Amino acid sequence: MRMRILDESELLRLEATWLRDIASHTRWCVAELRDLDDDARRTVRSAMLSACIRHRCPISLQFVTNYAAMVVTAVGMTASCAAAGAVAEAFAGGAGPARAPWWLFPLAAFAAACLSSLAAGRQDVRAIVAFFRRLGVRATVSRILRLARPGHWFPFAVSLALVVAGVGAASVTVAAASSAPAGQRPVIAAAALFGAVLGLGVLRWIRLVQNFLRSRYRKPYRARPLDGVLVELAHAAALCQALRPSWWTPRTVRRVRLSLGRAIGAADDIWAVRHRTSFTELAARREARRFHSALAELIRRHDRALTQVRTASEYDALAASLRAGVLALAEGDLTALLEHSAPEPPVSRAIRLLRRTATSLVLVAFALVIPLLPGVDSGTGAGVRVLLLMTAALSLSPAGDAASTSVRSALERSLLPGRGQ
């Protein structure tokens, strides 16, 4: 979402523009579902328009959750950089009497995280710069002073703080690292590389916090449990039909699958039942999870089938199935919608969290045990411990496999220089 400094009239204008866009998008989706008769079109149009309006997140709430997500992400990344720097400093402390300053390791990670965050969010930064250029210096200062509210100066303050912190920390890091002992420079570089990988995923972390906050405060806007599924599935069905002339191209498949992925995420969400029940009503939540898992698996089967289409008739059959699902949702016929579904066994949130962190927990356990084993000298044990701890942290980060592999290779070269000789 673009960050801008807005007053009340601009917020109202954006709300009106968004409502108009919702109506236009609904008309486009219904127009693309060509095989439906007039009554079915009216049913889908009415249901989808109502679902879009109920499911929408107001502009004001978008800005609040965006700013809160940025603050939470900044604090989390700073804490992660401090932890990574502490681990690197602990390892470098055993390198001998000549040591770099203790603050250099977390500062290197923090500087790299700031600069890589700027690179990842360059589009938002460009939008803010372009907005200020259109206003001019005098109008910008006047607006900030006249509208002295956090929402008006927050984007500018965050961007400026990120630039200043990144450039300042990078300058101090380079100056201090140049006079650090040569044996500790690879450790400093490894800490900086960890911060860079962490910063490249800043947008994903912000989106995660945003989605959590918006789902948490979505209840006052009267969204129904399946509104999000209807909106996203209707868009996927319309997109699938609109891209029919180029059904075999990878770009078409990726675009439809991206839309189906959003529908799967909406189907997996059981926030409505969580708000209706207490945390002790496990049976009710288990039943809701079973239904939503079945719905998500049904959409997921269409997603997998889309990757295997070989003929135009297979693609048309898939598009027809998506249209039938949209019509069943619009009519509220859940029996017909789930007629061919195979429900997945419900999985609790604790189990999903354990599955996601199992690799990191195993690596941390090995990092604690291996240096204590007989026959492992202190230097090698310390290097293996740092390498395993960094690898455990990387497995939790949203960085890609290529970036994680680069970090691990750099750590191995710096921490275990005799490896492979």
Side-chain angles (χ1 to χ4, degrees):
M1 184 183 67
R2 294 178 61 188
M3 299 177 296
R4 296 175 58 186
I5 296 179
L6 302 172
D7 56 22
E8 285 75 7
S9 62
E10 289 171 319
L11 283 174
L12 290 176
R13 186 166 60 251
L14 276 181
E15 291 277 9
T17 302
W18 198 5
L19 289 173
R20 187 174 64 247
D21 292 341
I22 287 176
S24 300
H25 179 69
T26 303
R27 287 195 299 270
W28 174 79
C29 288
V30 175
E32 291 297 336
L33 303 177
R34 303 185 184 93
D35 291 345
L36 300 180
D37 56 33
D38 292 340
D39 291 339
R41 285 170 179 268
R42 283 192 292 269
T43 300
V44 173
R45 182 185 300 110
S46 176
M48 186 179 175
L49 184 59
S50 300
C52 284
I53 293 175
R54 289 191 303 262
H55 185 68
R56 62 185 288 271
C57 183
I59 290 287
S60 56
L61 184 60
Q62 287 192 36
F63 274 80
V64 171
T65 54
N66 187 27
Y67 298 160
M70 292 173 63
V71 172
V72 172
T73 303
V75 173
M77 290 180 59
T78 302
S80 300
C81 292
V87 173
E89 197 274 337
F91 171 75
R99 296 177 54 184
W102 64 267
W103 47 263
L104 180 57
F105 303 95
L107 186 65
F110 178 74
C114 290
L115 295 179
S116 59
S117 298
L118 284 173
R122 57 188 178 276
Q123 293 183 353
D124 285 336
V125 176
R126 289 173 183 170
I128 295 174
V129 172
F131 182 74
F132 281 126
R133 290 182 63 182
R134 289 196 301 270
L135 284 179
V137 177
R138 181 176 299 179
T140 299
V141 175
S142 175
R143 171 169 291 200
I144 293 176
L145 295 178
R146 180 169 52 88
L147 302 172
R149 300 178 184 176
H152 297 123
W153 50 259
F154 189 86
F156 171 73
V158 168
S159 301
L160 183 61
L162 194 60
V163 172
V164 172
V167 174
S171 302
V172 175
T173 299
V174 172
S178 61
S179 58
Q184 296 184 3
R185 291 177 187 173
V187 183
I188 299 172
L193 192 57
F194 174 83
V197 174
L198 188 68
L200 290 176
V202 63
L203 298 181
R204 185 175 301 180
W205 292 120
I206 290 176
R207 282 195 294 269
L208 288 175
V209 180
Q210 274 182 344
N211 293 336
F212 171 78
L213 292 176
R214 291 176 185 178
S215 64
R216 180 68 177 82
Y217 294 99
R218 189 166 44 184
K219 185 179 179 181
Y221 300 100
R222 303 181 301 278
R224 297 178 183 176
L226 297 179
D227 281 346
V229 185
L230 175 59
V231 171
E232 300 298 346
L233 191 62
H235 176 75
L239 190 64
C240 186
Q241 184 64 42
L243 299 177
R244 170 63 173 76
S246 58
W247 64 267
W248 66 90
T249 61
R251 183 172 180 270
T252 295
V253 174
R254 285 196 300 267
R255 289 183 62 185
V256 179
R257 292 192 67 198
L258 182 63
S259 187
L260 287 174
R262 291 193 293 266
I264 293 170
D268 273 325
D269 192 1
I270 62 168
W271 65 269
V273 178
R274 288 199 299 266
H275 281 296
R276 295 170 182 172
T277 58
S278 65
F279 69 93
T280 59
E281 298 178 90
L282 300 180
R285 295 192 174 190
R286 189 180 300 113
E287 184 65 27
R289 193 175 296 113
R290 184 177 294 109
F291 169 80
H292 284 268
S293 297
L295 182 57
E297 176 60 21
L298 183 60
I299 303 174
R300 196 174 287 114
R301 282 164 51 189
H302 287 75
D303 177 70
R304 290 194 294 264
L306 184 62
T307 63
Q308 304 296 325
V309 291
R310 293 171 290 271
T311 62
S313 60
E314 291 182 353
Y315 186 89
D316 292 337
L318 183 64
S321 180
L322 290 176
R323 287 195 301 271
V326 171
L327 182 59
L329 272 175
E331 294 177 343
D333 190 356
L334 299 183
T335 302
L337 178 66
L338 298 178
E339 182 179 0
H340 303 290
S341 65
E344 295 248 322
V347 180
S348 66
R349 186 182 302 177
I351 295 178
R352 292 198 300 268
L353 180 62
L354 182 61
R355 289 177 178 175
R356 189 176 302 173
T357 59
T359 302
S360 298
L361 294 177
V362 171
L363 290 173
V364 171
F366 277 111
L368 297 176
V369 172
I370 287 179
L372 304 178
L373 295 177
V376 179
D377 61 83
S378 59
T380 303
V384 171
R385 173 176 291 175
V386 174
L387 178 62
L388 290 176
L389 290 176
M390 287 291 189
T391 305
L394 284 172
S395 66
L396 294 176
S397 71
D401 293 338
S404 299
T405 302
S406 300
V407 174
R408 284 194 293 267
S409 299
L411 286 171
E412 290 176 358
R413 289 193 299 269
S414 60
L415 300 177
L416 305 172
R419 184 177 182 269
Q421 295 180 357

